[in-house]
Coordinates of all heavy atoms in Angstrom, one line a residue:
V242 N -14.1 12.2 7.6 CA -15.2 12.0 8.4 C -14.8 12.2 9.9 O -13.6 12.0 10.2 CB -15.8 10.6 8.3 CG1 -16.4 10.5 6.9 CG2 -14.9 9.5 8.6
R243 N -15.7 12.4 10.7 CA -15.5 12.5 12.1 C -15.5 11.1 12.7 O -16.4 10.4 12.5 CB -16.6 13.4 12.8 CG -16.4 13.5 14.3 CD -15.6 14.8 14.6 NE -15.5 15.0 16.0 CZ -14.5 15.4 16.6 NH1 -13.4 15.7 15.9 NH2 -14.4 15.5 17.9
A244 N -14.4 10.8 13.3 CA -14.3 9.4 13.8 C -14.6 9.3 15.3 O -14.4 10.3 16.1 CB -12.8 8.9 13.6
D245 N -15.2 8.2 15.7 CA -15.5 7.9 17.1 C -14.2 7.4 17.7 O -13.7 6.3 17.4 CB -16.6 6.9 17.2 CG -16.9 6.5 18.6 OD1 -16.3 7.1 19.6 OD2 -17.7 5.6 18.8
K246 N -13.6 8.2 18.6 CA -12.3 7.9 19.2 C -12.3 6.5 20.0 O -11.4 5.7 19.8 CB -11.9 8.9 20.3 CG -11.5 10.2 19.6 CD -11.1 11.2 20.8 CE -11.1 12.6 20.3 NZ -10.7 13.5 21.4
K247 N -13.4 6.3 20.7 CA -13.5 5.0 21.4 C -13.5 3.8 20.5 O -12.7 2.9 20.7 CB -14.7 5.0 22.3 CG -14.8 3.8 23.2 CD -16.1 3.8 24.0 CE -16.2 2.5 24.8 NZ -17.4 2.4 25.5
E248 N -14.3 3.9 19.5 CA -14.3 2.8 18.5 C -13.0 2.6 17.8 O -12.5 1.5 17.7 CB -15.4 3.0 17.5 CG -15.5 1.8 16.5 CD -16.5 2.0 15.4 OE1 -17.1 3.1 15.3 OE2 -16.7 1.1 14.7
Y249 N -12.4 3.7 17.4 CA -11.1 3.6 16.8 C -10.0 2.9 17.7 O -9.3 2.0 17.3 CB -10.6 5.0 16.3 CG -9.2 5.0 15.7 CD1 -9.1 4.6 14.4 CD2 -8.1 5.3 16.4 CE1 -7.8 4.6 13.8 CE2 -6.8 5.3 15.8 CZ -6.7 4.9 14.5 OH -5.5 4.9 13.9
R250 N -10.0 3.3 18.9 CA -9.0 2.8 19.9 C -9.3 1.3 20.1 O -8.4 0.5 20.2 CB -9.1 3.5 21.2 CG -8.5 4.9 21.2 CD -8.5 5.5 22.5 NE -8.1 6.8 22.4 CZ -8.6 7.9 23.0 NH1 -9.7 7.7 23.7 NH2 -8.1 9.1 22.9
E251 N -10.6 0.9 20.2 CA -10.9 -0.5 20.4 C -10.5 -1.3 19.1 O -10.0 -2.4 19.3 CB -12.4 -0.7 20.5 CG -12.9 -0.2 21.9 CD -14.5 -0.1 22.0 OE1 -15.1 -0.4 20.9 OE2 -15.0 0.2 23.1
Q252 N -10.7 -0.8 17.9 CA -10.3 -1.5 16.7 C -8.8 -1.6 16.6 O -8.3 -2.7 16.2 CB -10.9 -0.8 15.5 CG -12.4 -0.8 15.4 CD -12.9 -2.2 15.2 OE1 -12.3 -3.1 14.6 NE2 -14.1 -2.4 15.8
M253 N -8.1 -0.6 17.0 CA -6.6 -0.7 16.9 C -6.1 -1.6 18.0 O -5.0 -2.3 17.8 CB -6.0 0.8 17.1 CG -6.3 1.7 15.9 SD -5.9 1.0 14.3 CE -7.5 0.7 13.5
A254 N -6.7 -1.7 19.1 CA -6.4 -2.7 20.1 C -6.6 -4.1 19.6 O -5.7 -5.0 19.8 CB -7.2 -2.5 21.4
R255 N -7.6 -4.4 18.8 CA -7.8 -5.7 18.1 C -6.7 -5.9 17.2 O -6.2 -7.0 17.1 CB -9.2 -5.6 17.4 CG -10.4 -5.8 18.2 CD -11.6 -5.6 17.4 NE -11.8 -6.7 16.4 CZ -12.7 -6.7 15.4 NH1 -13.5 -5.6 15.2 NH2 -12.8 -7.7 14.6
A256 N -6.3 -4.9 16.4 CA -5.2 -5.1 15.4 C -3.9 -5.4 16.1 O -3.2 -6.3 15.6 CB -5.1 -3.8 14.6
K257 N -3.7 -4.9 17.3 CA -2.5 -5.2 18.0 C -2.4 -6.6 18.5 O -1.3 -7.2 18.7 CB -2.3 -4.2 19.2 CG -1.8 -2.8 18.8 CD -1.6 -1.9 20.0 CE -1.1 -0.6 19.5 NZ -0.9 0.3 20.6
R258 N -3.6 -7.2 18.6 CA -3.6 -8.6 19.1 C -3.5 -9.6 18.0 O -3.5 -10.8 18.2 CB -4.9 -8.9 19.9 CG -5.0 -8.1 21.2 CD -6.2 -8.6 22.1 NE -7.5 -8.3 21.4 CZ -8.2 -7.2 21.6 NH1 -7.8 -6.3 22.4 NH2 -9.4 -7.1 21.0
L259 N -3.4 -9.1 16.7 CA -3.3 -10.1 15.6 C -1.9 -10.7 15.7 O -1.0 -10.2 16.2 CB -3.3 -9.3 14.3 CG -4.7 -8.7 13.9 CD1 -4.6 -7.8 12.7 CD2 -5.7 -9.8 13.5
P260 N -1.8 -11.9 15.1 CA -0.4 -12.5 15.0 C 0.5 -11.6 14.3 O 0.1 -10.8 13.5 CB -0.7 -13.8 14.2 CG -2.1 -14.1 14.4 CD -2.8 -12.8 14.5
H261 N 1.8 -11.7 14.6 CA 2.8 -10.8 14.1 C 2.8 -10.5 12.6 O 2.7 -9.4 12.2 CB 4.2 -11.4 14.5 CG 5.3 -10.5 14.0 ND1 5.6 -9.3 14.6 CD2 6.2 -10.7 13.0 CE1 6.7 -8.7 13.9 NE2 7.0 -9.6 13.0
T262 N 2.7 -11.5 11.8 CA 2.7 -11.3 10.3 C 1.4 -10.6 9.9 O 1.5 -9.7 9.0 CB 2.9 -12.6 9.6 OG1 1.8 -13.5 10.0 CG2 4.2 -13.2 9.8
Y263 N 0.3 -10.9 10.5 CA -0.9 -10.2 10.2 C -0.9 -8.8 10.7 O -1.3 -7.9 10.0 CB -2.1 -10.9 10.8 CG -2.6 -12.1 10.1 CD1 -2.2 -13.4 10.4 CD2 -3.6 -11.9 9.1 CE1 -2.7 -14.5 9.7 CE2 -4.1 -13.0 8.4 CZ -3.6 -14.3 8.7 OH -4.1 -15.4 7.9
R264 N -0.3 -8.5 11.8 CA -0.2 -7.2 12.4 C 0.8 -6.3 11.4 O 0.4 -5.2 11.2 CB 0.3 -7.2 13.8 CG 0.3 -5.9 14.5 CD 0.6 -6.0 15.9 NE 2.0 -6.5 16.1 CZ 2.2 -7.7 16.7 NH1 1.2 -8.5 17.1 NH2 3.4 -8.1 16.9
E265 N 1.8 -6.9 11.0 CA 2.7 -6.2 10.1 C 2.0 -5.8 8.8 O 2.1 -4.7 8.3 CB 3.9 -7.0 9.7 CG 5.0 -7.0 10.8 CD 6.2 -7.8 10.4 OE1 6.1 -8.6 9.4 OE2 7.3 -7.6 11.0
M266 N 1.2 -6.7 8.2 CA 0.5 -6.5 7.0 C -0.6 -5.4 7.2 O -0.8 -4.5 6.4 CB -0.2 -7.7 6.4 CG -0.8 -7.6 5.1 SD 0.3 -7.1 3.8 CE 1.2 -8.6 3.5
F267 N -1.3 -5.5 8.4 CA -2.3 -4.5 8.7 C -1.7 -3.1 8.8 O -2.2 -2.2 8.3 CB -3.0 -4.8 10.0 CG -4.0 -3.8 10.4 CD1 -5.2 -3.7 9.8 CD2 -3.6 -2.8 11.4 CE1 -6.1 -2.7 10.2 CE2 -4.5 -1.8 11.8 CZ -5.7 -1.7 11.1
D268 N -0.5 -3.0 9.5 CA 0.2 -1.7 9.6 C 0.5 -1.1 8.2 O 0.4 0.1 8.0 CB 1.4 -1.8 10.5 CG 1.1 -2.1 11.9 OD1 -0.1 -1.8 12.4 OD2 1.9 -2.5 12.7
N269 N 0.9 -2.0 7.3 CA 1.2 -1.5 5.9 C 0.0 -1.1 5.2 O 0.0 0.0 4.5 CB 1.9 -2.6 5.2 CG 3.3 -2.9 5.6 OD1 4.0 -2.0 6.1 ND2 3.8 -4.1 5.4

Side-chain angles (χ1 to χ4, degrees):
V242 296
R243 182 88 175 141
D245 178 3
K246 290 180 196 180
K247 182 180 178 188
E248 180 181 9
Y249 179 80
R250 287 183 187 134
E251 289 170 354
Q252 295 294 328
M253 293 307 109
R255 285 175 64 195
K257 285 183 180 181
R258 291 190 299 267
L259 290 168
H261 178 71
T262 55
Y263 278 93
R264 190 173 55 249
E265 283 183 341
M266 185 63 72
F267 175 79
D268 289 341
N269 289 332

